[in-house]
Structure formats: structure tokens, C-alpha cells
Amino acid sequence: MTTKILVTCECGHNGYIILRENDTPYSSDFWEYYKLENLNGDSYQTKSSTGWSEILHQMKPSCPKCGSQLNESNLKSRF
């Protein structure tokens, strides 16, 4: 399954965190893979359920327009 999470910087720039996951019922191979679209930072992969504070700490997302570090308050919606 793939989910896009809208991330909005205070300067008005928008980007996304793209989440791909294997959440198949009864599967022993659970994983989540996060990458950034239209934002600066790193990708992140985990084999356990992880909270947003840890995900954002590992990815270090920032705005390519103004350079601001982004955090949980910048997460706006999922679709």
C-alpha cells in the first residue's frame, strides 16, 4: 500500500512524505519505507511500527525553498 502525506512549510512550500508498506494480514514480513517528494532529506526504512517523531528524526526533512527543518506540526493530511 502507498500513502502520500502532505507536508507544508511555514513559507508556503508543499512536499510529500511517501509511505510504502507491506501490511498484508498474516504476513511475517512487515516493513515500511518512507521517502520524500519535493523536499530535502533522507529516506527511511523499518521493519517495526515507528512513530512520527522517530521517522522525522531519521529523515531530517527540510524545505528546499527556505531551508527550514520540518517537524510533526508541518504534517497536514494523508491521501
Side-chain angles (χ1 to χ4, degrees), residues 19-23 27-34 44-52 54-55 58:
L19 163 60
R20 295 193 67 219
E21 62 185 325
N22 177 13
D23 60 354
S27 173
S28 62
D29 188 29
F30 174 82
W31 53 265
E32 293 178 332
Y33 176 73
Y34 299 84
Y44 176 65
Q45 185 168 347
T46 182
K47 288 193 171 264
S48 62
S49 184
T50 306
W52 280 111
E54 178 64 18
I55 294 164
Q58 295 294 328

Side-chain angles (χ1 to χ4, degrees), residues 4 8 10 15 18 23-24 27 29 33 38 40 42 45 49 56-57 61 64 68 71 73-74 77:
K4 289 179 88 167
T8 302
E10 286 80 10
I18 310 297
D23 60 354
T24 305
S27 173
D29 188 29
Y33 176 73
N38 211 19
N40 295 333
D42 300 321
Q45 185 168 347
S49 184
L56 296 171
H57 173 75
S68 293
N71 57 50
S73 68
N74 299 106
S77 65

